[in-house]
Amino acid sequence: MNATVSAELGLRLVVPDRTTVPLLAGLSYTADDPYAIRMAFHVGNDEPVEWIFARELLTVGIVRRVGDGDVQVWPARADGERTLNISLTSPFGQALFEVPLPPLTEFLHRTYELVSAGREADFMDLDEELSNMLWSS
């Protein structure tokens, strides 16, 4: 099964002086990798920068602060609209994004229509996953 849900999302990068820079991000979700959401940030003319998030992390982050380490997510308001803040930290630096909630929740809703919560394991080939893990070690 190779069902995919994707969306383009306008979001804002919050820069140190608290102004924001609009960016475009591509979101994708596949039933083959049911726990993960890929977000590709389009920055300039370079190849997109891709981060992989746990679907549950983005879902829970809509209601309360969640995550530790490199990725943290929490609900907020920006200019009167409900947003999701996503903070990413890497060896290259830290970035804070404001994501408008309506298009993100619509995307998440579509992922749960494809693979409902708690059914993710039904879409995984555990034998293949194990052989991939053992092969790479």
Side-chain angles (χ1 to χ4, degrees):
M1 178 173 176
N2 189 17
T4 301
V5 174
S6 59
E8 288 269 293
L9 191 63
L11 46 87
R12 296 176 295 272
L13 171 64
V14 180
V15 293
D17 67 1
R18 301 301 298 166
T19 58
T20 60
V21 177
L23 286 178
L24 199 57
L27 297 173
S28 67
Y29 175 85
T30 66
D32 291 345
D33 193 2
Y35 293 101
I37 289 177
R38 296 175 185 281
M39 189 178 293
F41 297 97
H42 302 281
V43 185
N45 296 328
D46 297 335
E47 285 293 308
V49 177
E50 186 175 81
W51 281 71
I52 299 172
F53 299 92
R55 177 171 71 161
E56 185 178 8
L57 182 83
L58 294 179
T59 304
V60 173
I62 291 171
V63 245
R64 65 175 172 82
R65 182 180 278 272
V66 66
D68 54 350
D70 296 345
V71 180
Q72 295 184 25
V73 181
W74 67 95
R77 281 196 178 274
D79 300 326
E81 74 172 333
R82 291 182 63 211
T83 61
L84 185 71
N85 281 348
I86 300 176
S87 173
L88 304 177
T89 305
S90 78
F92 305 105
Q94 195 261 345
L96 174 63
F97 298 93
E98 291 177 346
V99 181
L101 220 41
L104 179 65
T105 54
E106 195 271 334
F107 170 79
L108 286 170
H109 180 74
R110 288 176 27 224
T111 72
Y112 285 106
E113 286 178 340
L114 185 61
V115 178
S116 56
R119 301 292 310 267
E120 293 91 350
D122 298 348
F123 290 82
M124 297 188 70
D125 182 343
L126 290 180
D127 291 335
E128 183 182 337
E129 293 296 323
L130 278 172
S131 69
N132 287 341
M133 287 170 37
L134 294 171
W135 183 255
S136 62
S137 56

